[in-house]
Amino acid sequence: MSEPHVFADAYIRSLTRRCLAISPARQQAFVAAFAGYGLAGPAVFFLLVLFLAPVVGVFFIALTDWQLGAGSFSFVGLANYREAFEDATFRASLANTAVYVLIVVSGTLLTGLVVALLIESRKSCRSFYRAVHFLPFMATVTTMAIVWEALLHPTMGLVNQIFAAIGVPTANWLRNENTVLPVLGAFGIWQNLGYAMVLFLAGLKTIPRDLYDAADVDGADLWIDRLHTVTLPLLGPVSMFIVIGVTLRALECFDAVKVLTQGGPGDASEVLLYTLYRESFEYLRTGYGAAIAVVFLAVVGTLTLINALVMDRKVHYQ
């Protein structure tokens, strides 16, 4: 009966000798690794709970017909995805989102660069102009959307009054299928202008003045020549960062559509996030809304990878 106890005592003594034989360097490495895992543990836990778990939940709900508040559901497989791509409203929101992103990204990139170059060329009041152009980026979207709605009012709006005074045709900008999406795009450009301007100003500060002097010696003495040969190539990494950031912000367009157009007229201003919101929280079709959310995540991930992998090769110089 004593043999098991003898074996256990021998094993414990052997394990103790091995632990004591560990070198001080290995003991320090073990303590450091233990401390690292202990410090990273809470962050990893909250990452799993607050990010990965909801994403997994969305993928799971997208495979069901669950409605918000319902006590039961059934699995429908890929039926929600098939319904989405057969739905004319969803296809319109997908196309409108692509057009909106194209308008906002290209417009923000161009206007941000122009404003940054103009501010950098001035000798005084730079801080004032930077603050003025950066204010829209800091303001709440809902508040600014209400201001834009007042400015674009078909009868009392300042925009139509100015156009009428100078003889330019007026329009009901937010209720016209041909103008509503460009107007929303202009709002997005105005909102993101300060973001692009600040980054371009930072990028311009990093360009050595010696390169402009060398360009003058080589015959590039006009501003357009210096812009083409020096400024734009060296602003490549900053431009890529702006494109990625503004693309993600444009894909998240919701507040302006909710306040200004509610997706109308018709489906002319329907975008992905507004369609997701309406299907999930107005029509309570949570399973269908989750499928739209999965498509949205796929679009965001694809565009991010394209920007990071393709553009990165074009803007970095060895």
Side-chain angles (χ1 to χ4, degrees), residues 6-64:
V6 173
F7 177 77
D9 292 341
Y11 177 76
I12 293 174
R13 285 195 297 271
S14 175
L15 182 62
T16 303
R17 285 196 299 269
R18 280 182 289 177
C19 290
L20 292 175
I22 296 176
S23 64
R26 293 188 62 183
Q27 291 180 5
Q28 284 186 337
F30 175 78
V31 172
F34 182 79
Y37 286 120
L39 293 173
V44 173
F45 172 77
F46 284 111
L47 177 66
L48 293 174
V49 172
L50 300 178
F51 180 73
L52 294 180
V55 170
V56 173
V58 167
F59 276 88
F60 175 78
I61 294 172
L63 301 175
T64 70

Side-chain angles (χ1 to χ4, degrees), residues 133-310:
H133 287 92
F134 193 72
L135 280 176
F137 182 75
M138 299 297 296
T140 59
V141 178
T142 303
T143 304
M144 293 298 100
I146 294 174
V147 174
W148 272 61
E149 186 177 25
L151 292 173
L152 297 171
H153 192 276
T155 57
M156 299 180 296
L158 181 63
V159 173
N160 273 346
Q161 290 184 9
I162 293 176
F163 282 1
I166 61 177
V168 176
T170 61
N172 190 350
W173 304 100
L174 297 175
R175 296 296 177 265
N176 188 321
E177 294 185 356
N178 297 321
T179 60
V180 63
L181 202 57
V183 167
L184 288 175
F187 178 80
I189 294 170
W190 175 78
Q191 182 189 2
N192 291 285
L193 172 61
Y195 172 77
M197 174 206 67
V198 168
L199 292 177
F200 274 130
L201 284 173
L204 290 172
K205 294 292 186 183
T206 64
I207 300 178
R209 303 303 305 177
D210 295 344
L211 295 180
Y212 291 107
D213 297 335
D216 290 337
V217 172
D218 290 338
D221 51 350
L222 298 177
W223 70 269
I224 189 66
D225 296 328
R226 293 195 297 270
L227 179 68
H228 177 69
T229 57
V230 178
T231 305
L232 291 182
L234 293 180
L235 287 178
V238 176
S239 301
M240 185 192 72
F241 186 83
I242 293 173
V243 167
I244 294 175
V246 176
T247 298
L248 294 178
R249 287 177 58 84
L251 285 169
E252 295 171 357
C253 174
F254 170 77
D255 295 357
V257 173
K258 176 64 177 175
V259 174
L260 294 175
T261 66
Q262 294 79 47
D267 297 328
S269 62
E270 191 88 14
V271 292
L272 276 177
L273 278 189
Y274 185 74
T275 303
L276 188 158
Y277 161 80
R278 189 168 61 179
E279 294 290 343
S280 299
F281 300 106
E282 291 186 1
Y283 302 154
L284 304 181
R285 303 178 61 200
T286 311
Y288 183 67
I292 297 177
V294 172
V295 174
F296 176 77
L297 290 174
V299 171
V300 171
T302 302
L303 291 179
T304 303
L305 285 176
I306 291 175
N307 284 330
L309 297 178
V310 177

